[in-house]
Amino acid sequence: MAVKDKYSVLLPTYNERRNLPIITWLLHDTFTKNNLDWEIIIVDDASPDGTQDVARQLEKAYGSYHILLRARAGKLGLGTAYVHGLQFATGNFIIIMDADFSHHPKFIADMIKLQKQGNYDIVTGTRYAGNGGVYGWDLKRKLVSRGANLFADTLLQPGVSDLTGSFRLYKKPVLQTVITSTESKGYTFQMEMMVRAKAMGYTVAEVPISFVDRLYGESKLSGSEIAEFAKGVFSLWLKV
């Protein structure tokens, strides 16, 4: 008898007290409607707004089989948050996404369906193909993001339309392998993960998504992050 697939959502949080209950309910609703086995691993970096208190309430409400809080001592970076969460993931598939509604759980069913159709190693959400799009950003932010992806795609040629996106479905062993070889942090992290995955020969498919700027809290892209991204692209071009 075939073992049923289980989907572990790695959800890094920092000051997401207002968003966490809603995104958790949306994930629960998506998985339940599609008869999928699931868990959410909340990796909180010592949020001062009470995010961990909310997470503990959600653990009680949904049960520890579905919700796990695995907190850390402080803000230690996105890449290490995934490494930390992976230690506790019991699913054979891993979903990475943001907790601020930038990534709507309604697209997960399409990502899972496509993965099964082609047995892909990775399915990534894309803002820049098909009917995907970005909503809530000003023109400058859109141009920076689109330009960064075009710049990286031209130099590195990974064949993926959205290198900096962070809404992805991985086979667990694939994510474990790729993440151990990834060196960068911050804005370049997702790009390096995808470029290295393609260089290792893993198969990647894309699902168009609607990306919406965060509902609560602040989202900022600094000049230093843009410079870091450009540096990361050149570094990968030399290494991969």
Side-chain angles (χ1 to χ4, degrees), residues 74-90:
K75 293 190 76 173
L76 302 172
L78 185 63
T80 57
Y82 292 144
V83 173
H84 182 72
L86 264 173
Q87 300 176 71
F88 307 101
T90 60

Side-chain angles (χ1 to χ4, degrees), residues 137-153:
W137 280 1
D138 58 25
L139 181 60
K140 178 183 176 182
R141 183 74 189 263
K142 287 181 179 180
L143 289 173
V144 168
S145 177
R146 192 71 176 108
N149 275 280
L150 287 172
F151 171 61
D153 185 59

Side-chain angles (χ1 to χ4, degrees), residues 20-219:
L20 193 55
I22 307 172
I23 196 69
T24 299
W25 184 86
L26 287 171
L27 284 164
H28 162 263
D29 186 58
T30 295
F31 288 124
T32 302
K33 283 181 177 178
N34 289 280
N35 191 31
L36 299 168
D37 195 9
W38 61 280
E39 66 182 0
I40 302 171
I41 300 165
I42 301 165
V43 182
D44 186 74
D45 281 1
S47 297
D49 73 336
T51 296
Q52 291 187 27
D53 293 333
V54 172
R56 292 186 187 97
Q57 292 174 17
L58 292 170
E59 277 186 314
K60 292 179 181 178
Y62 290 93
S64 58
Y65 178 82
H66 288 302
I67 307 292
L68 298 89
L69 170 62
R70 295 297 180 260
R72 302 196 296 173
K75 293 190 76 173
L76 302 172
L78 185 63
T80 57
Y82 292 144
V83 173
H84 182 72
L86 264 173
Q87 300 176 71
F88 307 101
T90 60
N92 56 325
F93 286 94
I94 306 293
I95 295 169
I96 62 171
M97 63 185 296
D98 296 340
D100 60 6
F101 306 108
S102 298
H103 305 136
H104 198 292
K106 68 183 180 181
F107 295 108
I108 289 176
D110 291 336
M111 296 168 80
I112 291 173
K113 181 180 179 181
L114 182 58
Q115 189 282 322
K116 289 185 178 299
Q117 286 175 350
N119 192 29
Y120 293 104
D121 297 310
I122 305 167
V123 176
T124 182
T126 178
R127 300 162 287 182
Y128 304 123
N131 60 352
V134 177
Y135 303 91
W137 280 1
D138 58 25
L139 181 60
K140 178 183 176 182
R141 183 74 189 263
K142 287 181 179 180
L143 289 173
V144 168
S145 177
R146 192 71 176 108
N149 275 280
L150 287 172
F151 171 61
D153 185 59
T154 300
L155 199 62
L156 301 170
Q157 299 183 343
V160 178
S161 65
D162 194 347
L163 282 171
T164 57
S166 55
F167 191 8
R168 295 175 182 168
L169 166 66
Y170 286 87
K171 291 180 178 178
K172 185 179 180 181
V174 172
L175 180 57
Q176 289 172 321
T177 300
V178 173
I179 206 167
T180 56
S181 67
T182 302
E183 301 172 0
S184 59
K185 298 179 181 179
Y187 194 56
T188 60
F189 176 77
Q190 300 292 358
M191 174 194 68
E192 183 178 350
M193 288 268 288
M194 186 58 68
V195 171
R196 290 193 180 277
K198 290 287 285 187
M200 291 174 180
Y202 291 123
T203 55
V204 180
E206 296 183 310
V207 167
I209 64 165
S210 300
F211 177 95
V212 181
D213 199 15
R214 61 182 298 119
L215 184 58
Y216 298 117
E218 297 182 357
S219 178

